[in-house]
Amino acid sequence: MEISREKRQKLAQVARLYYLEDLKQSDIAKELGVSRPLISRMLSEARRLGVVEIRIHEPEDEGTDLLGRLCRRSSLRGGLLIEDAADDRLTNRRLSEATVRLLEQLRTVRLGVGWGYFVGQLVSCLEEATKPDSRITDICPLVGNAGFPIRNYHSNENVRLLAGYLGAEPHFLYLPALPESLDEKQVLCSTELYHQICEEWERMDTALLNISNYPSTPDFASVARYGNRLQERRACGRLLAYYYNEAGEIIRSDEDFAIQIPLSLLSHCPNVVGVCSANTSVRALRGALRSGRFTHVVARAGLAAALLAEEESADSINAGHGIHQKNSRT
């Protein structure tokens, strides 16, 4: 289809601001005095008419090799590794886009979503993107709502926004993530509201969890729930409001009053996707993979390479010690 030179220039201007100058669609709309939906349509039209050509030069051999080596060392069945961008914000955007692609590859229908910084970033990224054709029909939270004013931890709001973006049915958990006490948790978990969300957890085919560092901010009442156990057991990471150490051991406490999906239900979910943000540490990823809780991962290729370098170096040292001990005995 032929378009006028003037229209092509306008499409090119919008595309340049979005793709080369990294402006948000809302900022472009404000600068040009038009609506954000119009900017979204112009970007789609620019791609359709060939004004914009997107080429993805993924290091398939290296990425495939890294992912394969991670899978051989853990319970992983697959995932996506991405290259770093110019800064953490852009890297998190790439990770968000990769997460959506992985959900499509897994043919996710019923999705459970955790909380945390990256989940909030995922929601923000998707708000700026063109809506995809998604097969996801239902979305539910995996943890209750936080009692502090940080959007990343408002589980129901994140579910509402994701469901609106993906055209899915939202299911909400109208209970706090951190009640006042263990007794209050037991009362709340006996309600119909909790039983209803348990039914959603049993039906979901994919769980999306943020792999986070420890210590973290906020700390989710960790002292009240665990006392000194997190320090004593050398916690290094967090999934939902659970903590684990580098050996992959979930650190448990009889006083843990957090309301979240039980690990027994999570273990029955066919796909458990762990997503590492731009600042996830090697220790947090190592412990997460050793926990055996994850079937897929989305992470920076650099993070995966750093983990594998440490693991394989340790293997070589251990193998050398074994040979030395054998020679000593002979």
Side-chain angles (χ1 to χ4, degrees), residues 199-214:
E199 292 176 358
E200 294 301 322
W201 290 338
E202 290 172 352
R203 288 196 289 260
M204 70 182 180
D205 56 74
T206 304
L208 184 63
L209 310 178
N210 194 28
I211 295 175
S212 303
N213 300 328
Y214 174 81

Side-chain angles (χ1 to χ4, degrees), residues 75-77 209 211 239 272-274 288-289 291-296:
S75 60
L76 292 179
R77 301 198 308 268
L209 310 178
I211 295 175
L239 60 94
V272 180
V273 179
L289 297 186
S291 75
R293 302 283 172 181
F294 295 93
T295 62
H296 296 78

Side-chain angles (χ1 to χ4, degrees), residues 189-256:
C189 289
S190 67
T191 63
E192 184 62 24
L193 287 173
Y194 183 76
H195 294 315
Q196 288 174 356
I197 203 68
C198 281
E199 292 176 358
E200 294 301 322
W201 290 338
E202 290 172 352
R203 288 196 289 260
M204 70 182 180
D205 56 74
T206 304
L208 184 63
L209 310 178
N210 194 28
I211 295 175
S212 303
N213 300 328
Y214 174 81
S216 61
T217 302
D219 75 350
F220 310 102
S222 59
V223 174
R225 294 164 57 209
Y226 292 94
N228 294 325
R229 288 181 64 81
L230 296 183
Q231 290 77 23
E232 293 171 352
R233 299 290 301 279
R234 299 181 181 276
C236 68
R238 176 176 55 80
L239 60 94
L240 299 176
Y242 295 106
Y243 295 90
Y244 56 86
N245 58 24
E246 281 194 78
E249 300 167 339
I250 301 296
I251 301 171
R252 301 178 186 273
S253 168
D254 293 336
E255 300 302 316
D256 186 5

Side-chain angles (χ1 to χ4, degrees), residues 3-59:
I3 61 172
S4 68
R5 179 179 177 81
E6 181 181 1
K7 183 173 183 179
R8 184 176 289 273
Q9 288 176 335
K10 289 181 178 179
L11 293 177
Q13 178 189 12
V14 169
R16 186 179 302 106
L17 292 171
Y18 184 73
Y19 290 109
L20 299 183
E21 299 185 21
D22 291 318
L23 293 185
K24 295 181 179 179
Q25 293 184 22
S26 55
D27 293 334
I28 299 173
K30 184 177 181 180
E31 180 174 325
L32 299 182
V34 298
S35 67
R36 193 195 68 78
L38 176 59
I39 296 299
S40 179
R41 291 195 297 271
M42 291 178 73
L43 290 170
S44 297
E45 189 174 11
R47 292 195 298 270
R48 180 171 57 83
L49 296 175
V51 175
V52 172
E53 294 183 359
I54 299 176
R55 295 184 178 182
I56 301 175
H57 298 285
E58 294 181 322

Side-chain angles (χ1 to χ4, degrees), residues 162-200:
L162 280 173
Y165 170 77
L166 297 170
E169 179 72 20
H171 302 271
F172 301 117
L173 175 55
Y174 294 107
L175 297 175
L178 301 170
E180 293 296 324
S181 66
L182 190 60
D183 288 341
E184 184 182 355
K185 173 186 175 178
Q186 291 170 346
V187 170
L188 293 173
C189 289
S190 67
T191 63
E192 184 62 24
L193 287 173
Y194 183 76
H195 294 315
Q196 288 174 356
I197 203 68
C198 281
E199 292 176 358
E200 294 301 322

Side-chain angles (χ1 to χ4, degrees), residues 4 25 55 58 76 82 89 103 110 129 136 154 238 248 273 281 283 312:
S4 68
Q25 293 184 22
R55 295 184 178 182
E58 294 181 322
L76 292 179
I82 65 102
R89 181 182 69 84
L103 293 178
R110 304 186 73 94
I136 297 175
H154 290 183
R238 176 176 55 80
V273 179
S281 70
R283 295 178 68 234
E312 291 165 358

Side-chain angles (χ1 to χ4, degrees), residues 75-133:
S75 60
L76 292 179
R77 301 198 308 268
L80 290 173
L81 302 178
I82 65 102
E83 295 298 319
D84 287 334
D87 55 39
D88 285 355
R89 181 182 69 84
L90 294 177
T91 297
N92 282 327
R93 180 169 185 160
R94 288 186 180 181
L95 288 163
S96 298
E97 292 166 350
T99 300
V100 175
R101 293 201 305 273
L102 181 59
L103 293 178
E104 286 297 310
Q105 291 175 17
L106 294 175
R107 305 181 69 82
T108 299
V109 174
R110 304 186 73 94
L111 175 65
V113 180
W115 64 0
Y117 173 78
F118 181 77
V119 173
Q121 292 295 300
L122 174 63
V123 172
S124 298
C125 176
L126 293 182
E127 287 177 331
E128 293 294 328
T130 304
K131 289 187 176 182
D133 293 327

